[in-house]
Coordinates of all heavy atoms in Angstrom, one line a residue:
E131 N -9.8 2.8 21.1 CA -9.7 4.2 20.7 C -8.3 4.6 20.2 O -8.2 5.3 19.2 CB -10.0 5.1 21.9 CG -10.0 6.6 21.5 CD -10.3 7.5 22.7 OE1 -10.6 7.1 23.8 OE2 -10.3 8.8 22.4
T132 N -7.2 4.1 20.8 CA -5.9 4.4 20.3 C -5.7 3.8 18.9 O -5.2 4.5 18.0 CB -4.8 3.8 21.2 OG1 -5.0 4.4 22.5 CG2 -3.4 4.1 20.7
K133 N -6.2 2.6 18.7 CA -6.1 2.0 17.3 C -6.9 2.8 16.3 O -6.5 3.0 15.2 CB -6.5 0.5 17.3 CG -5.6 -0.4 18.0 CD -4.7 -1.0 17.1 CE -3.8 -2.1 17.7 NZ -2.6 -1.6 18.3
R134 N -8.1 3.2 16.7 CA -9.0 3.9 15.8 C -8.3 5.3 15.4 O -8.3 5.7 14.3 CB -10.3 4.1 16.5 CG -11.4 4.7 15.6 CD -12.8 4.7 16.2 NE -12.8 5.4 17.5 CZ -12.9 4.8 18.7 NH1 -13.1 3.5 18.7 NH2 -13.0 5.5 19.8
V135 N -7.8 6.0 16.4 CA -7.2 7.3 16.2 C -5.9 7.1 15.3 O -5.7 7.9 14.4 CB -6.8 8.0 17.5 CG1 -6.0 9.3 17.3 CG2 -8.1 8.4 18.2
D136 N -5.1 6.1 15.7 CA -3.9 5.8 14.9 C -4.3 5.5 13.4 O -3.7 6.0 12.5 CB -3.2 4.6 15.4 CG -2.3 4.9 16.6 OD1 -2.2 6.1 17.0 OD2 -1.6 4.0 17.1
A137 N -5.4 4.7 13.2 CA -5.8 4.3 11.9 C -6.2 5.5 11.0 O -5.8 5.6 9.9 CB -6.9 3.3 11.9
H138 N -6.9 6.5 11.6 CA -7.2 7.7 10.9 C -5.9 8.5 10.5 O -5.8 9.0 9.4 CB -8.1 8.6 11.8 CG -9.6 8.2 11.8 ND1 -10.4 8.2 10.6 CD2 -10.4 7.7 12.8 CE1 -11.6 7.8 10.9 NE2 -11.6 7.5 12.2
S139 N -5.0 8.5 11.5 CA -3.7 9.2 11.2 C -2.9 8.5 10.1 O -2.3 9.2 9.3 CB -2.9 9.3 12.5 OG -3.5 10.1 13.4
I140 N -2.9 7.2 10.1 CA -2.2 6.4 9.1 C -2.7 6.6 7.7 O -2.0 6.8 6.8 CB -2.1 4.9 9.5 CG1 -1.3 4.7 10.8 CG2 -1.6 4.1 8.4 CD1 -1.4 3.4 11.5
V141 N -4.1 6.7 7.6 CA -4.7 6.9 6.3 C -4.2 8.3 5.8 O -3.8 8.4 4.7 CB -6.2 6.8 6.4 CG1 -6.9 7.4 5.2 CG2 -6.7 5.4 6.6
K142 N -4.3 9.3 6.7 CA -3.9 10.6 6.2 C -2.4 10.6 5.8 O -2.0 11.2 4.8 CB -4.1 11.7 7.4 CG -5.6 12.0 7.6 CD -5.7 12.9 8.7 CE -7.2 13.1 9.1 NZ -7.4 13.8 10.3
L143 N -1.6 10.0 6.6 CA -0.1 9.9 6.3 C 0.1 9.2 4.9 O 0.8 9.7 4.1 CB 0.6 9.2 7.4 CG 2.1 9.2 7.3 CD1 2.7 9.2 8.7 CD2 2.6 7.9 6.6
F144 N -0.5 8.1 4.8 CA -0.3 7.3 3.5 C -0.9 8.1 2.3 O -0.2 8.1 1.3 CB -1.0 5.9 3.6 CG -0.1 4.8 4.1 CD1 0.3 4.8 5.4 CD2 0.3 3.8 3.3 CE1 1.1 3.8 5.9 CE2 1.1 2.8 3.7 CZ 1.5 2.7 5.1
E145 N -2.0 8.7 2.5 CA -2.6 9.4 1.3 C -1.8 10.6 1.0 O -1.5 10.9 -0.2 CB -4.0 9.9 1.7 CG -5.1 8.8 1.6 CD -6.5 9.3 1.8 OE1 -6.7 10.3 2.4 OE2 -7.4 8.6 1.3
K146 N -1.3 11.3 2.0 CA -0.5 12.5 1.7 C 0.9 12.1 1.1 O 1.3 12.7 0.1 CB -0.2 13.3 3.0 CG 0.6 14.6 2.7 CD 0.7 15.4 4.0 CE 1.5 16.7 3.7 NZ 1.7 17.5 4.9
Q147 N 1.5 11.1 1.6 CA 2.8 10.7 1.1 C 2.7 10.0 -0.3 O 3.6 10.3 -1.1 CB 3.5 9.7 2.1 CG 4.9 9.5 1.9 CD 5.8 10.8 2.1 OE1 5.4 11.7 2.9 NE2 6.9 10.9 1.5
S148 N 1.7 9.2 -0.5 CA 1.6 8.5 -1.8 C 0.8 9.2 -2.8 O 0.9 8.9 -4.0 CB 1.0 7.1 -1.5 OG -0.4 7.3 -1.2
R149 N 0.0 10.2 -2.4 CA -0.9 10.9 -3.3 C -1.9 9.9 -3.9 O -2.4 10.1 -5.0 CB -0.2 11.7 -4.3 CG 0.6 12.9 -3.7 CD 1.3 13.7 -4.7 NE 2.3 13.1 -5.6 CZ 3.6 12.8 -5.2 NH1 4.0 13.1 -4.0 NH2 4.4 12.3 -6.1
L150 N -2.3 8.9 -3.1 CA -3.2 7.9 -3.6 C -4.4 7.8 -2.5 O -4.1 7.9 -1.3 CB -2.6 6.5 -3.7 CG -1.5 6.4 -4.7 CD1 -0.7 5.1 -4.5 CD2 -2.0 6.4 -6.1
K151 N -5.6 7.6 -3.0 CA -6.8 7.6 -2.1 C -6.9 6.2 -1.5 O -6.7 5.2 -2.1 CB -8.0 7.9 -3.0 CG -9.3 7.9 -2.2 CD -9.7 9.4 -2.0 CE -11.0 9.5 -1.3 NZ -11.0 9.5 0.1
A152 N -7.3 6.2 -0.2 CA -7.5 5.0 0.5 C -8.8 4.3 0.0 O -9.8 4.9 -0.2 CB -7.6 5.3 2.0
K153 N -8.7 3.0 -0.1 CA -9.8 2.1 -0.5 C -9.7 0.8 0.3 O -8.6 0.4 0.6 CB -9.7 1.7 -2.0 CG -9.7 2.9 -3.0 CD -11.1 3.3 -3.3 CE -11.1 4.4 -4.4 NZ -12.4 4.8 -4.7
M154 N -10.8 0.2 0.5 CA -10.9 -1.1 1.2 C -10.5 -2.2 0.2 O -11.0 -2.2 -0.9 CB -12.2 -1.3 1.8 CG -12.6 -0.5 3.0 SD -11.4 -0.5 4.4 CE -11.5 -2.3 4.9
W155 N -9.7 -3.1 0.7 CA -9.3 -4.3 0.0 C -9.7 -5.5 0.9 O -9.1 -5.6 2.0 CB -7.8 -4.3 -0.4 CG -7.4 -3.4 -1.5 CD1 -7.4 -2.0 -1.4 CD2 -7.1 -3.8 -2.8 NE1 -7.0 -1.5 -2.6 CE2 -6.8 -2.6 -3.5 CE3 -7.0 -5.0 -3.5 CZ2 -6.5 -2.6 -4.9 CZ3 -6.6 -5.0 -4.8 CH2 -6.4 -3.8 -5.5
G156 N -10.7 -6.2 0.5 CA -11.2 -7.3 1.3 C -11.8 -6.7 2.6 O -12.1 -5.5 2.6
P157 N -12.0 -7.5 3.6 CA -12.8 -7.0 4.7 C -11.9 -6.1 5.7 O -12.5 -5.4 6.6 CB -13.3 -8.2 5.4 CG -12.3 -9.3 5.0 CD -11.8 -8.9 3.6
S158 N -10.6 -6.2 5.6 CA -9.8 -5.5 6.7 C -8.5 -4.8 6.3 O -7.7 -4.4 7.1 CB -9.5 -6.6 7.8 OG -8.7 -7.6 7.2
I159 N -8.3 -4.7 5.0 CA -7.0 -4.1 4.5 C -7.4 -2.8 3.9 O -8.3 -2.7 3.0 CB -6.2 -5.0 3.6 CG1 -5.7 -6.2 4.3 CG2 -5.1 -4.2 2.9 CD1 -5.0 -7.2 3.4
I160 N -6.7 -1.7 4.3 CA -6.9 -0.4 3.6 C -5.7 -0.3 2.7 O -4.5 -0.3 3.1 CB -6.9 0.7 4.7 CG1 -8.0 0.5 5.7 CG2 -6.9 2.1 4.0 CD1 -8.0 1.4 6.9
G161 N -6.0 -0.2 1.4 CA -5.0 -0.1 0.3 C -5.0 1.2 -0.3 O -5.9 2.0 -0.3
F162 N -3.8 1.5 -1.0 CA -3.6 2.7 -1.7 C -3.1 2.4 -3.1 O -2.1 1.8 -3.2 CB -2.6 3.6 -0.9 CG -3.0 3.9 0.5 CD1 -2.8 2.9 1.5 CD2 -3.7 5.0 0.8 CE1 -3.3 3.2 2.8 CE2 -4.2 5.3 2.1 CZ -3.9 4.3 3.1
G163 N -3.9 2.8 -4.1 CA -3.5 2.5 -5.4 C -3.7 1.0 -5.7 O -4.2 0.3 -4.8

Side-chain angles (χ1 to χ4, degrees):
E131 184 179 0
T132 301
K133 288 268 185 270
R134 188 172 54 253
V135 169
D136 278 359
H138 281 293
S139 296
I140 293 166
V141 166
K142 287 177 188 170
L143 185 148
F144 269 70
E145 283 186 336
K146 184 175 181 183
Q147 195 65 26
S148 70
R149 294 183 298 283
L150 298 166
K151 183 101 175 93
K153 301 276 187 179
M154 290 302 301
W155 285 74
S158 62
I159 295 175
I160 299 169
F162 302 83

